[in-house]
Amino acid sequence: MLILIPTAAAGRFRTAGSWGRLSLRISRPDGLAVVSGISERTEGAVLSVDPAELGNRLLAGCDPVSTGYWYRAAGELHAHWYQVRARRGTSLPLDIFKSAVPSGFKAPGSSGYAAITYTPAVQDEFPESGLPDLLAWHVTRTDARPLDASVEPEVTGIRQLQHHWPVEELQSARVMLVGAGSIGSATAHALAGYGIGHLTLVDPDRLLWHNLVRHTSSRKQIGRAKVTALAEELALLRPDTAVTPLALDVIEHADRIRALLTDTDIVVCAADGVAARRVTGHLARRAGRTAVLACVLQDGAVGEVLRLRPWTQHGCLSCRRESLAEAGGLDPEPALDAGYGTGTRHRPMTAVGPDLHLVAHLAAKTVVATLLERVGHPDQRLPGEHALLALRRQPGWAAPFDLDRTGELRWLPATPPRPGCPTCESP
């Protein structure tokens, strides 16, 4: 059995007296229990250590059961725990266990009981061992057997990586994500996983049955706005990221999006409409913000991530496509010249979810690398501005889309603005 010890319970063990009763909520089919209450000695009432939010508590459907005791013990007892645990099928004689818990030991009945032992001096006694100060046992009339135990850390979430990853820089970043579909939902999860502090989601669509095969959201979210479903998912999985869901259309509500860009560090567009990509790039450039566009081309054969920086020598999406076509390549978005709101859609629907999510993760990495390079992390510099990823080999396509092997990743430089471009030239 695995006994989970939440932070509140661990804190109570560390500050209470020398022993007391123990209450667990147990799911025997799962071999799982969680500490729900403890007392100080037997005369004290068992005090709940359950979280205040009943709906979120562990094993919420299992009633608390007074099922054992907790003891303050000598550090050597936890060394015994590891030695016995390593020799499967063995146990610790009861006399040794009793000698390590000199105050308040309770004799077990015929079925024994669960026990938690707390050893405040274990780190002093065994400084190199990494032994935990809280462990679990099953105590019988003859011996004590180790039980698995897991103590909730005082720090969870992205801040656990504080000394290994630039958490503070990314927690202060604000990213707008346009498009909360297959690529967009996976991009949102990846950005939150990197530790982006604030995410604004923009998408007017609802989650429907056919979306489930590629989307990160589940069946229970059917019919809800995609941005709302995503916001709820991330609140549970990545609480370090604050999410603002906006059921807006980037074309129809361009004025509202434009106003929000003043408080945005970088914009990501994962929408599959050509017009939506053009509008997002246009708004970002006029606001002086970098835009990262992610999509799949040729029925999901090629993944593409474009970084459009508002720099003098970096052209917009239209300039990029025109320059490639002029150099002998092809235009993978043949309706790109259509007016805003009238462009056709890509043909991504034969792509499977994991391929789309692979592109999404590359887009999220591009966003995070751009942000970190900007604040002084040169090791995050990307090899180019335009990434092409072969989800299937495309040897027959014109350069630069002629990827020979599945998994090939090609980075290209930016191309300059075209004369007369309404996006790149000053209004």
Side-chain angles (χ1 to χ4, degrees):
M1 175 178 288
L2 169 63
I3 297 181
L4 302 172
I5 306 175
T7 300
R12 188 68 61 82
F13 287 130
R14 289 165 179 152
T15 56
S18 57
W19 65 277
R21 287 180 290 168
L22 176 68
S23 179
L24 301 175
R25 281 186 282 109
I26 306 172
S27 173
R28 297 196 183 282
D30 296 320
L32 181 64
V34 60
V35 177
S36 60
I38 69 171
S39 74
E40 291 191 47
R41 300 180 178 273
T42 52
E43 62 270 21
V46 174
L47 301 177
S48 173
V49 290
D50 278 333
E53 303 85 5
L54 296 180
N56 293 333
R57 67 181 184 177
L58 295 166
L59 301 179
C62 302
D63 293 329
V65 177
S66 182
T67 187
Y69 297 91
W70 67 271
Y71 302 107
R72 182 171 290 219
E76 63 182 23
L77 182 63
H78 285 199
H80 286 312
W81 188 98
Y82 265 84
Q83 293 170 351
V84 174
R85 189 76 173 81
R87 300 192 294 268
R88 292 183 178 278
T90 61
S91 61
L92 187 70
L94 186 61
D95 288 345
I96 298 178
F97 184 88
K98 288 175 60 177
S99 67
V101 290
S103 177
F105 176 77
K106 295 295 180 182
S110 58
S111 58
Y113 60 76
I116 300 287
T117 51
Y118 168 55
T119 59
V122 68
Q123 291 302 320
D124 294 333
E125 295 179 30
F126 305 94
E128 304 297 328
S129 66
L131 290 170
D133 61 347
L134 289 163
L135 283 176
W137 306 80
H138 182 247
V139 181
T140 72
R141 288 174 172 173
T142 60
D143 57 17
R145 295 179 179 274
L147 296 177
D148 291 332
S150 180
V151 181
E152 182 181 7
E154 293 184 6
V155 177
T156 59
I158 193 67
R159 295 192 187 281
Q160 287 181 282
L161 306 179
Q162 186 79 47
H163 302 297
H164 310 283
W165 182 244
V167 172
E168 294 300 329
E169 289 94 332
L170 294 175
Q171 280 285 284
S172 64
R174 305 180 72 85
V175 176
M176 176 184 289
L177 173 60
V178 177
S182 304
I183 295 178
S185 63
T187 302
H189 277 266
L191 290 170
Y194 277 119
I196 294 296
H198 194 279
L199 197 53
T200 300
L201 304 177
V202 177
D203 194 311
D205 293 341
R206 293 178 181 273
L207 187 74
L208 300 178
W209 299 106
H210 69 271
N211 298 133
L212 293 180
V213 70
R214 301 177 181 87
H215 206 272
T216 60
S217 294
S218 66
R219 181 176 292 263
K220 71 177 183 180
Q221 301 280 15
I222 288 292
R224 307 197 69 191
K226 290 179 178 176
V227 292
T228 304
L230 262 178
E232 292 182 357
E233 288 172 13
L234 294 172
L236 290 174
L237 293 172
R238 306 291 180 188
D240 296 311
T241 298
V243 180
T244 302
L246 299 175
L248 301 176
D249 184 301
V250 70
I251 301 171
E252 182 179 350
H253 304 103
D255 286 345
R256 293 182 62 180
I257 302 301
R258 183 184 292 109
L260 294 170
L261 290 177
T262 59
D263 195 29
T264 299
D265 295 307
I266 194 167
V267 185
V268 191
C269 182
D272 60 2
V274 176
R277 288 158 50 80
R278 290 186 65 185
V279 171
T280 301
H282 179 85
L283 293 175
R285 178 132 190 148
R286 288 303 171 86
R289 302 293 187 267
T290 294
V292 173
L293 312 183
C295 70
V296 292
L297 306 169
Q298 190 68 355
D299 289 338
V302 175
E304 180 185 69
V305 176
L306 264 169
R307 179 168 59 172
L308 304 173
R309 297 201 258 195
W311 293 357
T312 305
Q313 294 303 314
H314 287 215
C316 68
L317 175 61
S318 298
C319 294
R320 178 71 182 163
R321 295 296 194 222
E322 290 175 14
S323 295
L324 291 177
E326 193 172 84
L330 54 82
D331 184 353
E333 297 169 315
L336 198 60
D337 290 334
Y340 288 164
T342 62
T344 60
R345 301 173 75 84
H346 294 298
R347 294 183 298 164
M349 299 308 292
T350 55
V352 295
D355 274 359
L356 296 171
H357 296 180
L358 189 60
V359 176
H361 284 215
L362 180 59
K365 182 65 179 176
T366 301
V367 170
V368 169
T370 303
L371 290 169
L372 291 180
E373 183 187 1
R374 187 184 298 169
V375 295
H377 293 268
D379 59 332
Q380 292 289 322
R381 185 172 299 136
L382 295 171
E385 307 298 316
H386 185 180
L388 297 169
L389 174 62
L391 304 173
R392 300 193 301 271
R393 62 191 295 265
Q394 292 297 304
W397 266 32
F401 301 97
D402 55 336
L403 301 167
D404 291 329
R405 290 181 173 81
T406 297
E408 182 178 353
L409 177 61
R410 180 175 295 168
W411 283 95
L412 306 167
T415 50
R418 310 272 298 177
C421 174
T423 293
C424 297
E425 292 193 350
S426 300

